[in-house]
Amino acid sequence: MCATALSLGVAELVAGLTGPGSSPVIAVGETLIDAAPTPVKDFTVRTLGTGDKPMLVGGILIVLALVSVGAGMIAVRRPVAGDAVVALFGVVGAMCALTRPVARWYDAVPALIGAAAGVIALRLLARAALGGHPRPASARARAGRSDALASPARTHESGLPGRRRFLATSGAAASLALVTGGGGTLLAARSGASDSRAAVRLPRPQSPARPLPAGFRTAVPNMPPFFTPTGDFYRVDTALLVPKVRAADWQLRVHGMVQRELRLSLADLLGRGLTERDVTLSCVSNEVGGPYVGTARWLGVPLAQLLREAGVRAGADQLLSRSVDGMSIGTPVEAVLDGRDALVALAMNGEPLPLAHGFPARLLVPGLYGYASATKWVVDLELTTFAGADAYWVRRGWARNGPVKTASRIDIPRPFSRPRPGPVAVAGVAYAQHRGVAGVEVRIDAGPWTQATLATQVSPDTWRQWSFRWNATPGLHRIEVRATDGAGHLQPQARAQPFPDGSTGWHSTVVTVA
Ligand SMILES: Nc1nc2c(c(=O)[nH]1)N[C@H]1C(S)=C(S)[C@@H](COP(=O)(O)O)O[C@H]1N2
Ligand SMILES: [Mo]
């Protein structure tokens, strides 16, 4: 285990120099994320939520530790076999790093150097375990299998010096693992992306968001704010490590079925006269009543402006966007050009995009789920056709087009809370981006539906808060909600899972009034 730890530490140190994406643990983890079948991914997201990433890394480390124990026991008797196991770790790490979508040839280097360090450490540890001598063949023959596995140090006369030397070598390997691993982490943190973000000066919008109308939020205490604080905004992506892009290294390319190719720097975009809009973003993986939805004030360049400038050629129906970490997302060109506020967003809630939300630029197309529109760390916009290319999630069976389905959620009272009898404030949000929310109804214990009080609509592209005064009687009660969108369509009651095009069903909350 110490040899494996040293191997990982050295690999992290080298990866600190060769750049993100070359860390073998991260590369293996991201390969597993991409390879996970949809039911497995669904299950992990459902049970672990956004804690799935630390769990994945932890799982990889546990598997490595277990295999390492076996390798160590083998290495004492057959050094070459021990080497082979450590080398295999290196090869798997290198292969994963090399097959990432944006891999460079030298991304294999950290895993291979790490494996070499691991082999040397394992040899030294095995020798120390045997008291400094390779185990003589006669002793090997005499000792049964179980003896060799139980305590290699026992082959030495007294046992003590061998054990001491083994512990000292282990300690040295473990310390070196911490130092190299820590050094690698420090190196990786020096990407300069945070400084680059801090240096961005946002201009005032040329087209500001409409002033917030009176009554745009309900007055119910403890109701989540209309604008989701940036720090609370949900995060969904396949990146095990947040891509750290420096504005100076960044460029957005528009190409494919266009009249002329565009290449734009962040300064080019910031200088264009920016558009500010309030938009609710939601994830197709959100369950009924779930948390993967948020509203922010975004600032950016109209995406339609860029496409018109590039000149979309006839027949191009898909805007295939790609990120610096190899994500691909397909958006209907029609949705971008139909007049809605599709943006190359550069800022969120008055600040440059946080690194986790796509610094320096991301897409945003109101009315479409994030997987079909909201590419973070975007670097490449290709005009193409749906017939000609499938985006990342489409290759995994998700729908080509991702219009958001009408949804409503009860935020207050909390599930299983115990309100007092009498008037109880019920409140929540409803959203049907780009169609707007026309009505929200609430019912108690499957009784008659009653209209909730709607907050003023900020925009059809944002969620709408609602509230309902319930005269609660003692006992166990179920509160249900449903919304009607701006087109007059009632939110469907039938429960559907998020796969393949978004969940449906009415949200409900159970409380005990006492
Ligand atoms: N590069 C990249 N962009 C991405 C994703 C991703 O995995 N990688 N996930 C998409 C999905 S599924 C959603 S719901 C939104 C979430 O955006 P947020 O993390 O800023 O809330 O980002 C989208 N953009
Ligand atoms: Mo998503």
Side-chain angles (χ1 to χ4, degrees):
M1 282 171 67
C2 289
T4 301
L6 178 64
S7 161
L8 293 180
V10 169
E12 286 306 306
L13 184 63
V14 180
L17 302 169
T18 52
S22 59
S23 152
V25 174
I26 299 298
V28 169
E30 294 193 328
T31 301
L32 289 174
I33 290 176
D34 288 352
T38 299
V40 174
K41 204 170 309 201
D42 256 21
F43 173 80
T44 28
V45 170
R46 203 159 48 238
T47 48
L48 305 172
T50 30
D52 56 347
K53 287 172 185 172
M55 291 286 287
L56 176 60
V57 173
I60 292 171
L61 294 180
I62 288 172
V63 169
L64 277 173
L66 292 178
V67 178
S68 300
V69 170
M73 297 193 315
I74 293 170
V76 174
R77 292 190 303 155
R78 301 194 44 206
V80 179
D83 297 351
V85 176
V86 178
L88 184 69
F89 288 165
V91 170
V92 170
M95 295 275 285
C96 289
L98 279 182
T99 50
R100 300 305 303 139
V102 286
R104 303 146 304 181
W105 67 266
Y106 54 83
D107 284 338
V109 171
L112 297 179
I113 295 186
V119 166
I120 294 170
L122 187 60
R123 286 273 177 153
L124 291 176
L125 282 161
R127 191 183 299 174
L130 295 173
H133 316 285
R135 205 167 171 196
S138 54
R140 221 180 292 159
R142 253 183 285 121
R145 232 187 128 90
S146 58
D147 172 60
L149 294 181
S151 174
R154 232 188 283 153
T155 58
H156 203 64
E157 242 67 307
S158 76
L160 247 191
R163 179 153 298 173
R164 198 172 296 146
R165 174 151 170 213
F166 178 71
L167 288 177
T169 314
S170 304
S175 312
L176 203 53
L178 284 178
V179 171
T180 50
T185 309
L186 286 180
L187 280 177
R190 286 187 334 169
S191 64
S194 297
D195 293 343
S196 164
R197 174 174 181 264
V200 171
R201 291 286 158 266
L202 296 173
R204 292 179 150 280
Q206 190 178 67
S207 167
R210 261 184 291 148
L212 293 167
F216 75 98
R217 56 181 173 195
T218 69
V220 171
N222 299 324
M223 177 65 188
F226 178 85
F227 288 107
T228 312
T230 306
D232 296 345
F233 206 97
Y234 81 95
R235 177 185 161 207
V236 168
D237 54 59
T238 58
L240 258 188
L241 271 187
V242 172
K244 297 188 180 63
V245 183
R246 293 193 319 151
D249 304 331
W250 181 85
Q251 203 180 41
L252 181 63
R253 178 170 173 232
V254 188
H255 66 113
M257 295 170 69
V258 295
Q259 249 103 50
R260 63 204 79 80
E261 220 179 283
L262 305 181
R263 282 171 190 273
L264 300 150
S265 68
L266 184 60
D268 292 337
L269 293 181
L270 286 167
R272 274 176 171 249
L274 302 184
T275 296
E276 181 188 60
R277 293 292 180 268
D278 299 332
V279 176
T280 296
L281 176 64
S282 56
C283 181
V284 69
S285 297
N286 206 22
E287 307 264 341
V288 170
Y292 301 148
V293 52
T295 299
R297 174 157 289 187
W298 309 90
L299 180 69
V301 175
L303 190 48
Q305 191 187 94
L306 297 186
L307 296 201
R308 295 229 163 78
E309 225 171 280
V312 178
R313 293 216 305 260
D317 61 359
Q318 176 172 222
L319 176 65
L320 192 63
S321 51
R322 293 192 184 82
S323 69
V324 69
D325 63 328
M327 172 54 63
S328 59
I329 286 182
T331 309
V333 169
E334 198 194 343
V336 175
L337 297 179
D338 73 359
R340 73 183 78 195
D341 291 314
L343 293 178
V344 178
L346 310 172
M348 177 180 187
N349 294 333
E351 283 181 25
L353 291 177
L355 302 190
H357 294 289
F359 181 79
R362 73 170 310 161
L363 300 190
L364 207 64
V365 184
L368 303 181
Y369 287 123
Y371 87 99
S373 67
T375 319
K376 305 192 276 188
W377 316 289
V378 64
V379 288
D380 189 288
L381 301 178
E382 184 188 357
L383 275 301
T384 177
T385 61
F386 278 105
D390 279 342
Y392 182 94
W393 289 110
V394 175
R395 290 200 295 272
R396 287 158 178 80
W398 293 78
R400 277 215 168 72
N401 198 346
V404 296
K405 297 180 178 178
T406 305
S408 51
R409 184 178 80 188
I410 302 163
D411 290 317
I412 309 285
R414 305 245 166 259
F416 305 111
S417 61
R418 302 177 70 85
R420 309 216 145 277
V424 169
V426 181
V429 290
Y431 51 94
Q433 291 95 305
H434 209 56
R435 302 187 298 281
V437 171
V440 171
E441 297 160 283
V442 174
R443 72 175 176 182
I444 311 290
D445 302 327
W449 288 100
T450 315
Q451 296 289 337
T453 306
L454 290 172
T456 316
Q457 180 160 282
V458 170
S459 144
D461 295 340
T462 59
W463 59 19
R464 196 165 179 182
Q465 296 188 341
W466 57 266
S467 63
F468 175 80
R469 221 172 105 101
W470 170 36
N471 216 336
T473 54
L476 188 75
H477 298 288
R478 173 182 298 272
I479 312 168
E480 277 175 290
V481 66
R482 67 181 190 187
T484 300
D485 72 9
H489 296 300
L490 181 65
Q491 178 186 343
Q493 175 177 23
R495 281 270 171 165
Q497 291 299 307
F499 185 82
D501 59 0
S503 61
T504 61
W506 297 337
H507 187 216
S508 67
T509 281
V510 172
V511 294
T512 303
V513 178

